[in-house]
Coordinates of all heavy atoms in Angstrom, one line a residue:
I126 N 27.0 -44.1 15.9 CA 28.3 -44.7 15.6 C 28.4 -46.1 16.0 O 28.9 -47.0 15.3 CB 29.4 -43.8 16.3 CG1 29.5 -42.4 15.6 CG2 30.8 -44.5 16.1 CD1 30.4 -41.5 16.3
L130 N 29.1 -49.3 13.7 CA 30.2 -50.2 13.9 C 29.8 -51.7 14.0 O 30.4 -52.6 13.4 CB 31.0 -49.8 15.2 CG 32.2 -50.6 15.6 CD1 33.3 -50.5 14.4 CD2 32.8 -50.1 16.8
F135 N 29.2 -57.0 11.8 CA 28.3 -58.2 11.8 C 27.6 -58.4 10.5 O 27.0 -59.4 10.2 CB 27.3 -58.2 12.9 CG 28.0 -58.3 14.3 CD1 28.0 -57.2 15.1 CD2 28.7 -59.4 14.7 CE1 28.6 -57.3 16.4 CE2 29.3 -59.5 15.9 CZ 29.3 -58.4 16.7
E149 N 23.7 -42.6 7.6 CA 24.4 -41.9 8.7 C 25.0 -40.5 8.3 O 24.8 -39.5 9.0 CB 25.6 -42.8 9.2 CG 26.3 -42.2 10.4 CD 27.4 -43.1 10.9 OE1 27.3 -44.3 10.9 OE2 28.4 -42.5 11.3
Q168 N 20.4 -15.0 14.2 CA 20.9 -13.8 13.6 C 19.8 -13.0 13.0 O 19.8 -11.8 13.1 CB 21.9 -14.2 12.5 CG 23.2 -14.7 13.0 CD 24.2 -15.2 12.0 OE1 23.8 -15.5 10.8 NE2 25.5 -15.3 12.3
K177 N 14.1 -3.0 14.4 CA 12.9 -2.4 15.1 C 13.4 -1.3 16.0 O 12.7 -0.2 16.1 CB 12.3 -3.5 16.0 CG 11.0 -3.1 16.6 CD 10.4 -4.3 17.4 CE 9.1 -3.9 18.1 NZ 8.5 -5.0 18.8
Q213 N 1.1 5.4 11.7 CA 1.8 4.2 12.1 C 1.4 3.8 13.5 O 1.8 2.8 14.0 CB 3.3 4.4 12.0 CG 3.8 4.5 10.5 CD 5.2 4.9 10.4 OE1 5.9 5.0 11.4 NE2 5.6 5.3 9.2
D216 N 1.2 7.1 19.6 CA 0.2 7.8 20.3 C 0.5 9.3 20.6 O -0.4 10.1 20.6 CB -0.1 7.1 21.7 CG 1.1 7.1 22.6 OD1 2.2 6.6 22.2 OD2 1.0 7.6 23.7
T221 N -0.9 14.8 19.4 CA -0.5 16.2 18.9 C -1.3 16.6 17.7 O -1.7 17.7 17.5 CB 1.0 16.2 18.7 OG1 1.7 15.8 19.9 CG2 1.5 17.6 18.3
Y236 N -13.1 19.7 14.7 CA -13.2 19.0 16.0 C -13.4 17.5 15.8 O -13.0 16.7 16.6 CB -14.4 19.6 16.7 CG -14.1 21.0 17.2 CD1 -14.9 22.1 16.8 CD2 -13.1 21.3 18.1 CE1 -14.6 23.4 17.2 CE2 -12.8 22.6 18.5 CZ -13.6 23.6 18.1 OH -13.4 24.9 18.5
A239 N -10.1 16.0 15.3 CA -9.4 16.1 16.5 C -9.8 14.9 17.4 O -9.0 14.2 18.0 CB -9.7 17.4 17.2
R244 N -9.0 9.9 20.3 CA -9.5 8.6 20.6 C -8.5 7.5 20.3 O -8.3 6.6 21.1 CB -10.8 8.3 19.9 CG -11.5 7.0 20.4 CD -12.9 6.7 19.7 NE -13.8 7.7 20.0 CZ -14.6 7.8 21.1 NH1 -14.4 6.9 22.1 NH2 -15.5 8.7 21.3
N251 N -2.7 6.8 26.3 CA -2.1 8.2 26.4 C -3.0 9.0 27.3 O -4.1 9.3 26.9 CB -1.9 8.8 25.0 CG -1.3 10.1 25.0 OD1 -1.7 11.0 25.7 ND2 -0.3 10.3 24.2
A257 N -8.1 15.0 26.9 CA -8.7 15.8 25.8 C -10.0 15.1 25.2 O -10.9 15.9 24.9 CB -7.6 15.9 24.7
D264 N -18.1 18.4 26.4 CA -18.6 19.6 25.7 C -19.3 19.4 24.4 O -20.0 20.2 23.9 CB -17.4 20.6 25.4 CG -16.7 21.1 26.6 OD1 -17.3 21.1 27.7 OD2 -15.5 21.4 26.5
K270 N -22.4 14.7 22.8 CA -22.1 14.8 24.2 C -22.4 13.5 24.8 O -23.5 12.8 24.5 CB -23.0 15.9 24.9 CG -22.5 17.2 24.9 CD -23.4 18.1 25.7 CE -22.9 19.6 25.7 NZ -23.6 20.4 26.6
L289 N -4.1 17.4 35.5 CA -5.2 18.2 35.2 C -6.5 17.3 35.3 O -7.5 17.8 35.8 CB -5.1 18.8 33.8 CG -6.1 20.0 33.5 CD1 -6.1 21.1 34.6 CD2 -5.8 20.6 32.2
I296 N -12.7 18.1 41.5 CA -13.8 19.1 41.6 C -15.2 18.5 41.3 O -16.1 18.8 42.0 CB -13.5 20.2 40.5 CG1 -12.3 21.1 41.0 CG2 -14.7 21.1 40.3 CD1 -11.8 22.1 40.0
K305 N -25.2 15.8 46.7 CA -25.9 14.8 47.6 C -26.2 15.3 48.9 O -27.2 15.0 49.5 CB -24.9 13.6 47.7 CG -24.9 12.7 46.5 CD -24.1 11.4 46.7 CE -24.2 10.5 45.5 NZ -23.4 9.3 45.7

Side-chain angles (χ1 to χ4, degrees):
I126 293 171
L130 185 58
F135 297 112
E149 181 182 324
Q168 288 174 341
K177 187 176 179 182
Q213 293 167 9
D216 65 300
T221 306
Y236 292 117
R244 188 176 297 279
N251 181 307
D264 297 335
K270 274 188 179 185
L289 194 53
I296 289 172
K305 282 186 179 179

